[in-house]
Amino acid sequence: MDTYKAKSIVTGKEVCGELAYDGLSCFIIEKWPYGTSTVRVDPNTIEKVESDADTEV
């Protein structure tokens, strides 16, 4: 899965996770050890996070 980062509409903080879209709003789904959280984000701040998995040993 691709990872994205964007600013939360509610808190203004940057969040990182999977991108979701329901037709009206954009969301980032953050994965935590205890579950997941869904954060509504500003669609103008969405950026794709480049994976560095190819560079790891």
Side-chain angles (χ1 to χ4, degrees), residues 45-56:
T45 64
I46 297 172
E47 295 178 25
K48 186 172 183 179
V49 176
E50 296 298 325
S51 175
D52 59 352
D54 295 336
T55 60
E56 293 180 8

Side-chain angles (χ1 to χ4, degrees), residues 6-15 24-28 38-46:
K7 279 193 175 181
S8 167
I9 288 179
V10 176
T11 65
K13 293 183 180 180
E14 190 171 90
V15 293
L24 297 173
S25 302
C26 292
F27 300 90
I28 293 284
T38 305
V39 181
R40 188 171 171 210
V41 296
D42 180 355
N44 297 319
T45 64
I46 297 172

